[in-house]
């Protein structure tokens, strides 16, 4: 089955938007046993969109068309699709009713340009959009079936997930294309891609029905295992064999699988041990608290974070002694230890993590250059502090610090509470 | 001049790599007065690359082709380019010498597959690669000039910057196309795209040499102004006229321009007023502190955030009265007010913002559904609390809350301190 993607929008040709939708779609499609053959990106230009629709319809079996379904003058996709199909645009009553309800709930007036969004090519199949105003519509052109979805990532994903992928599954079934795939993402932290690749390289020849893919998302590196089989069970067996072979090679760098996040894994461990956590953050500025509270239900184990950015607040909020600050400086092993103890005592939590460091670009000295970070961990067995030297810009140092803190606690809280 | 981009590589079709090269190239190209008309992405498949080269050469004046110049068996671009041009591949002596030197410096042996990288279509113009092994080469096919560069971002940027953009400038000069562009991004918050579009619509006809583009990044919406002129000065004049016309239409929703961020604007204002800020966060979990500390130099105005996630810590860290919590609940106007006052008093800051709300998915009630958020602002003139009702998932509610808090302070701290 030949599947292509057509993305429309000037923002994709003027450096305003990077096409992350396609990356996500390609990953999901692989999980459904298919790979796209080509991506085409055109601007908000009628002739370009029309030419692309006609050309792609002439050679593909299915095309995912995204973008150009918004309310502005630049949004031309529905109109050009109708032109390509030789039909008029018509108002879809269901979409219009949904739009009215959506806007009423937010107390917003419907503008004339919103009306444009509920017009679809006559005769197309329509799927209402759970996350936005413009519905998805489906057209047949030539030998191809074309799925038209919005380009806004949240809406794109919702519709592709619920309405496009199942239809692609159905098309594959019709065509008797029933190879099955099983996928798993093994997530590692602080393992550079080249090292991950070198560790896993020996497995390639031993697992011929598995594709090994790599994706970097500093400081995480993900190993994607894609196994093929003639049945779902066989694909699963092939996957498990590769998984069992890969895990020992990743060691403690492996922190999670598939949708798990670092904060989610730490939270799950704390929850199962019935333990709680407080933080004292300085250079991370609240990021670790943000990461932890991204997870629903975090209040079961996360009590709070004292983001003591100014030195006065390190004293006032987490009881760092004035003399300790004066003698060692805010970025020091002593201060990190006192911050952790202060947070733990004040919050009455099982554990407390602290982070104090120099994120840059300013603030570095020869003794303590940018990237110098001290992380403290206070718990039932006492206080420890780890010293780090990170290399990178401000964002890199803050990200690495947040992960290093959480990863330390992850390794410390594996298994049952003692 | 019609310019297109052709990207080759399976990693761009299997969800492994997102095409960030194109975003960068498009921005640089706009600054040189041109915009690409289309991007095509194909895999490491001979027939696909050949078809794309032929089709694009048939309609474009210039094509930037990237990827497929590496040493592996998947790298086919040079071979297919030679086929398209009807010439053999030949070793480029200059590239070979450079490769030998590059590897000798690193103490590496040249492997047979590296030799492949210094073979180019006979008759092509070659530009040595300052950042990698494979040289860039230039071919004419049909009416088009094709620039072949590696896909590795560092090498792509180096060659495009030093060898492709100057050649595109020369082509434009040959064709008498000496237009210039000036760009500006006007950033708004809490203005739905359809409303932004409706407000700006009347300007389109009044500013014919300006292209108006829109980009959504909830809760921000960006208006991109792209002005054309026969000289850089004229392009700038045309831009300023459109800018002056657009700003009044955006009102207080306009918070920043070009690279400015919400947190950066608030920080700049506080700095110029010599004022400081502390936070008391609950459902935002540290996000507002994280946003503020993303900005280098934030310590000049940001003192800290008490992320009092557990109710005990609302009492202990920001002095919310126990009775207030019991009588009103943590998510209430009274608690938001006390949190803000408590943070301001404790940090001795000019201002304090507080956020307490129900981010979801759990925790909602009929009286206080998911999305109910109270934001407090305590300052020299007293305490105020705003009640919000946000509609969306956990991430949406937390993001909207963080922006609403910062935006309130932005509007309050415009101009000089009283």
């Amino acid at each position: 089955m030949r599947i292509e993607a057509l993305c429309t929008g000037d923002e994709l040709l003027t450096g305003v938007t990077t096409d992350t939708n396609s990356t996500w779609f390609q990953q999901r499609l692989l999980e459904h046993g298919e790979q796209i053959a080509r991506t085409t990106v055109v601007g908000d230009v009628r002739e370009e969109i029309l030419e692309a629709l006609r050309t792609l319809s002439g050679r593909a079996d299915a095309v995912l068309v995204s973008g150009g379904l918004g309310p502005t003058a630049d949004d031309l996709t529905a109109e050009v699709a109708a032109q390509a199909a030789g039909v008029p645009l018509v108002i879809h009553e269901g979409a219009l009713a949904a739009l009215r309800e959506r806007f009423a709930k937010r107390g917003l007036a419907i503008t004339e340009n919103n009306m444009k969004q509920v017009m679809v090519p006559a005769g197309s199949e329509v799927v209402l959009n759970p996350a936005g105003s413009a519905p998805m519509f489906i057209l047949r052109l030539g030998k191809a079936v074309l799925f038209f979805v919005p380009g806004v990532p949240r809406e794109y994903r919702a519709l592709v997930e619920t309405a496009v992928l199942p239809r692609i599954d159905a098309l594959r079934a019709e065509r008797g294309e029933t190879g099955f795939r099983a996928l798993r993402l093994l997530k590692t932290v602080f393992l550079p891609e080249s090292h991950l690749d070198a560790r896993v390289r020996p497995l390639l020849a031993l697992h011929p029905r598995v594709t090994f893919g790599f994706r970097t998302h500093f400081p995480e590196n993900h190993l994607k295992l894609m196994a093929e089989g003639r049945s779902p069970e066989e694909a699963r067996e092939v996957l498990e064999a590769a998984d069992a072979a890969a895990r020992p090679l990743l060691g403690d760098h492996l922190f999670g699988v598939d949708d798990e996040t670092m904060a989610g894994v730490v939270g799950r461990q704390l929850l199962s041990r019935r333990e709680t956590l407080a933080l004292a953050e300085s250079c991370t500025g609240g990021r670790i608290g943000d990461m932890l509270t991204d997870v629903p239900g975090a209040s079961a184990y996360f009590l709070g974070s004292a983001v003591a950015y100014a030195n006065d607040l390190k004293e006032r909020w987490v009881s760092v002694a004035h003399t300790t600050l004066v003698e060692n400086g805010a970025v020091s092993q002593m201060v990190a230890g006192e911050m952790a103890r202060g947070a733990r005592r004040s919050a009455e939590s099982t554990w407390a993590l602290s982070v104090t460091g120099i994120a840059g670009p300013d603030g570095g000295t020869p003794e303590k250059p940018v990237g110098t970070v001290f992380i403290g961990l206070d718990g039932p067995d006492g206080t420890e502090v780890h010293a780090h030297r990170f290399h990178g810009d401000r964002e890199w140092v803050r990200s690495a610090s947040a992960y290093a803190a959480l990863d330390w606690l992850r390794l410390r809280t594996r298994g049952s509470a003692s």
Side-chain angles (χ1 to χ4, degrees), chain A:
Chain A
M1 199 169 149
R2 184 176 174 97
I3 304 177
E4 296 197 32
L6 173 62
C7 308
T8 74
D10 277 353
E11 70 277 8
L12 291 166
L13 295 185
T14 55
V16 170
T17 299
T18 299
D19 182 17
T20 53
N21 282 341
S22 289
T23 304
W24 175 85
F25 173 56
Q26 293 163 11
Q27 290 169 4
R28 293 295 291 119
L29 194 62
L30 274 181
E31 288 160 25
H32 283 251
E34 289 289 339
Q35 179 173 319
I36 70 170
R38 188 178 296 205
T39 303
T40 302
V41 183
V42 297
D44 300 312
V45 180
R46 281 186 177 78
E47 300 72 33
E48 291 285 333
I49 301 172
L50 188 60
E51 189 278 338
L53 286 176
R54 287 177 170 154
T55 299
L56 271 55
S57 309
R59 70 178 178 228
D61 300 300
V63 185
L64 178 64
V65 186
S66 58
L69 297 184
T72 77
D74 299 336
D75 294 292
L76 305 168
T77 298
E79 177 191 325
V80 178
Q83 186 184 345
V87 300
L89 281 175
V90 297
I91 290 178
H92 188 267
E93 293 301 334
L96 178 57
L99 179 71
R100 286 201 171 112
E101 196 184 319
R102 190 181 166 76
F103 272 56
K105 216 183 273 188
R106 289 167 171 70
L108 293 172
I110 294 186
T111 58
E112 188 186 319
N113 51 16
N114 286 119
M115 287 301 294
K116 180 171 107 161
Q117 292 185 280
V118 297
M119 300 191 71
V120 297
S124 54
E125 179 185 350
V126 170
V127 176
L128 295 185
N129 180 351
S133 303
M136 162 178 156
F137 58 89
I138 305 169
L139 272 183
R140 285 199 167 271
L141 280 184
K143 66 162 182 153
V145 56
L146 282 71
F147 306 100
F148 291 80
V149 298
V152 177
R154 180 189 302 264
E155 301 176 36
Y156 174 101
R157 290 185 192 208
L159 286 164
V160 169
E161 194 67 55
T162 59
V164 176
L165 287 169
R167 284 174 172 75
I168 287 178
D169 288 344
L171 287 169
R172 297 184 73 236
E174 272 176 45
R175 300 161 64 98
E177 282 166 19
T178 52
F180 291 84
R181 292 201 187 196
L183 292 101
R184 184 165 299 155
L185 202 61
L186 298 183
K187 294 181 166 176
T188 72
V189 68
F190 293 125
L191 181 61
E193 188 181 1
S194 55
H195 288 222
L196 171 57
D197 180 69
R199 288 188 187 207
V200 161
R201 177 58 48 94
L203 297 184
L204 266 57
L206 300 171
H207 298 266
R209 285 195 287 172
V210 178
T211 306
F212 294 78
F214 302 89
R215 182 172 48 154
T216 293
H217 198 88
F218 179 81
E220 303 182 23
N221 259 299
H222 300 166
L223 171 64
K224 186 163 198 166
L225 306 176
M226 287 180 288
E228 295 181 11
R230 287 157 303 187
S231 68
E233 294 72 32
E234 187 178 83
R236 172 55 60 100
E237 272 176 41
V238 173
L239 176 69
E240 295 295 354
D243 179 296
R247 287 192 190 228
L249 303 177
L250 306 179
D252 281 344
H253 291 284
L254 175 68
F255 72 86
V257 176
D258 292 334
D259 289 341
E260 292 182 320
T261 61
M262 175 63 82
V265 170
V266 172
R268 182 166 42 74
Q269 290 180 179
L270 290 172
L271 191 63
S272 74
R273 293 162 62 106
R274 300 177 205 266
E275 294 179 338
T276 57
L277 170 67
L279 309 172
E281 301 186 61
S282 189
C283 64
T284 42
R287 178 168 302 195
I288 308 179
D290 187 15
M291 289 172 73
L292 286 163
T293 56
D294 256 340
V295 184
S299 57
Y301 46 84
F302 177 63
L303 304 182
S305 177
V307 180
Y309 209 60
N311 284 352
D312 280 356
L313 297 187
K314 289 179 177 69
E315 297 182 36
R316 212 172 301 158
W317 284 2
V318 285
S319 309
V320 175
H322 187 73
T323 50
T324 310
L325 269 165
V326 169
E327 288 171 12
N328 299 276
V331 177
S332 61
Q333 181 164 335
M334 297 292 295
V335 168
E338 291 191 18
M339 282 171 69
R341 278 197 294 280
R344 181 163 174 261
R345 211 151 289 158
S346 173
E348 295 175 348
S349 55
T350 319
W351 302 96
L353 282 163
S354 68
V355 182
T356 177
I358 305 168
D362 303 317
T365 63
E367 300 78 37
K368 291 179 190 172
V370 166
T372 301
V373 178
F374 294 91
I375 298 177
L377 176 62
D378 191 43
D381 296 333
T383 320
E384 269 186 83
V385 177
H386 285 175
H388 293 266
R389 192 58 71 77
F390 296 118
H391 298 93
D393 62 15
R394 186 180 181 84
E395 170 58 27
W396 185 280
V397 173
R398 277 151 46 82
S399 186
S401 301
Y403 268 86
L406 287 174
D407 198 43
W408 188 5
L409 186 62
R410 174 182 72 87
L411 294 171
R412 182 60 71 84
T413 57
R414 288 190 295 192
S416 330
S418 46

